[in-house]
Amino acid sequence: MKEQATLTQISRATSLEAHRISQLPVIVLHAHTSCNCRCVMCDIWKTSEVRSLRPADLEPHIESFRRLGVRWIVFTGGEPLLNAALPVVCALLRPYGFRITVLTTGLLLKKYAPSVAVSFDEIIVSLDGPESIHNSIRRVENAFGLIKEGIAAVRQLNPAIRMTGRTTVQRANCFYLRETVAAAKQLGLDGISFLAADVQSEAFNRSLVLPAERQSEIALSIADLPALETELRGLIRDCSDDIRTGYIAESLEKLNRILAHFRAHLGLNAPLAPVCNAPWTSAVIETDGTVRPCFFHPPVGNVRQQGLEGAINSDRALRFRSALDIESDEICRRCVCSLNYRS
């Protein structure tokens, strides 16, 4: 019996070691905890604790980034451009050749165009629809106009920088997908991507899963589904060249997943997990040092206490990855995004 127990322990240890990470190509850094929009689908703007990523927070981990073979660093928030120290943070990273992306509301692009133009390789702007729809969802006066001015200002300083839009599909904009593509072109963006709104996780500064009345503001009702299906068919038909060339980032399968996601939310079909390898290829680091395997799963460590390599290979992290079956995991099955990283 003792020998059997020893063999079992060795087997478990071996299984855990198989999930130790030595290469981590993608790092997502929370640059700032608050936001300058008031969107219904997100509670980040309600945060009472404002924190920013400082250069001193990042410097101890740059060597770990290099050892882990990090290739792509994505700044998110909140609104990253609210962090006054972000240009200095980016300057620390620039010598290492990382691809640097920022996810932004776009409202501050014009104000900070000189630093934005040299700090990033790629800018992804939140775009919620044509002008009137976008402004109503963002609940910011002239939000669309500010984005347009900001894109033009950055382009003037750095014409080669890649700038795309990202649309969170929800009840308020799901019937305007074709108009959203047209709006992206009107703004001079290099492309657009679509993903369904998340209403069933504790991400985006939610202390709890959204109550039913909040979910109904964001998610579709059964009565809305036929119109969304019609709009998706129209998008696939009328924007076929944009799908073929990649101006629309999603494949036909991923576009159809948007409808399937809302159907699953309503209990009309089983939720289906996307193809994803995020827990093995990326890490999300919050401003307080918390490390998550993605936006939606619980923390596995903290870089301030363990360092990055210690956090991503902590006992908790190893146990999490060894036990994770994406196809059956409830968080994964209801996930609205996916990272299936290929070098």
Side-chain angles (χ1 to χ4, degrees):
M1 291 290 291
K2 185 176 180 180
E3 289 182 359
Q4 182 62 42
T6 301
L7 288 172
T8 300
Q9 290 174 349
I10 292 172
S11 175
R12 286 176 180 170
T14 301
S15 176
L16 289 177
E17 283 302 306
H19 293 274
R20 183 171 293 275
I21 289 176
S22 60
Q23 294 288 308
L24 191 71
V26 183
I27 295 283
V28 179
L29 295 173
H30 281 251
H32 195 74
T33 55
S34 65
C35 188
N36 51 6
C37 287
R38 300 292 184 267
C39 306
V40 67
M41 67 281 192
C42 174
D43 285 350
I44 289 174
W45 59 274
K46 297 179 181 179
T47 184
S48 59
E49 185 177 2
V50 178
R51 296 189 306 270
S52 292
L53 176 70
R54 303 164 301 177
D57 298 326
L58 184 67
E59 281 183 295
H61 309 296
I62 292 178
E63 183 58 27
S64 290
F65 290 2
R66 189 191 64 78
R67 285 195 298 268
L68 289 165
V70 172
R71 299 183 180 187
W72 184 17
I73 294 176
V74 180
F75 286 104
T76 187
E79 170 50 54
L81 298 184
L82 287 172
N83 183 348
L86 192 57
V88 179
V89 170
C90 291
L92 289 172
L93 298 170
R94 275 298 184 196
Y96 298 89
F98 305 125
R99 173 187 169 196
I100 303 177
T101 296
V102 63
L103 308 180
T104 176
T105 64
L107 302 182
L108 295 173
L109 286 176
K110 182 179 180 180
K111 182 176 181 179
Y112 297 122
S115 62
V116 167
V118 299
S119 295
F120 307 108
D121 301 296
E122 179 184 32
I123 299 169
I124 301 177
V125 179
S126 295
L127 177 63
D128 292 308
E131 185 167 4
S132 61
I133 300 297
H134 178 83
N135 291 347
S136 65
I137 289 175
R138 292 278 138 180
R139 295 192 282 199
V140 173
E141 186 178 353
N142 194 36
F144 189 91
L146 290 171
I147 292 175
K148 188 173 184 178
E149 292 174 5
I151 290 171
V154 174
R155 286 256 189 247
Q156 186 173 15
L157 296 170
N158 184 356
I161 195 168
R162 179 167 173 79
M163 304 178 74
T164 62
R166 175 170 294 169
T167 300
T168 301
V169 179
Q170 56 172 297
R171 192 174 193 181
N173 65 7
C174 63
F175 312 132
Y176 305 94
L177 304 184
R178 284 171 287 184
E179 291 183 50
T180 303
V181 175
K185 294 178 178 180
Q186 177 188 348
L187 291 170
L189 293 171
D190 297 313
I192 183 75
S193 64
F194 296 94
L195 76 163
D198 168 66
V199 295
Q200 292 184 306
S201 82
E202 295 178 20
F204 312 113
N205 195 45
R206 299 169 187 158
S207 57
L208 298 169
V209 173
L210 290 176
E213 61 269 22
R214 284 284 310 281
Q215 291 188 27
S216 65
E217 288 184 79
I218 303 166
L220 278 65
S221 67
I222 290 178
D224 295 324
L225 293 178
L228 173 60
E229 186 171 9
T230 298
E231 180 63 20
L232 281 169
R233 287 177 180 170
L235 178 72
I236 291 168
R237 179 189 66 241
D238 298 344
C239 301
S240 58
D241 286 344
D242 293 318
I243 296 171
R244 178 181 54 80
T245 62
Y247 187 87
I248 295 175
E250 284 70 33
S251 63
L252 297 180
E253 179 186 2
K254 286 190 174 183
L255 288 173
N256 286 320
R257 274 185 57 83
I258 295 171
L259 178 63
H261 170 80
F262 288 116
R263 286 181 57 84
H265 173 71
L266 293 165
L268 300 177
N269 54 252
L272 181 65
V275 177
C276 178
N277 61 7
W280 293 270
T281 61
S282 70
V284 177
I285 305 176
E286 299 177 1
T287 53
D288 64 357
T290 297
V291 177
R292 296 177 184 268
C294 71
F295 285 107
F296 304 102
H297 280 288
V300 295
N302 190 293
V303 294
R304 296 186 182 179
Q305 300 161 8
Q306 302 158 290
L308 177 57
E309 288 156 294
I312 63 173
N313 289 315
S314 66
D315 288 342
R316 184 187 301 177
L318 293 175
R319 289 195 301 270
F320 167 77
R321 289 193 292 272
S322 68
L324 180 61
D325 177 10
I326 286 177
E327 289 187 5
S328 62
D329 183 87
E330 282 304 310
I331 290 177
C332 294
R333 291 178 70 208
R334 297 189 180 277
C335 187
V336 297
C337 65
S338 69
L339 173 68
N340 191 32
Y341 184 87
R342 294 288 183 268
S343 60

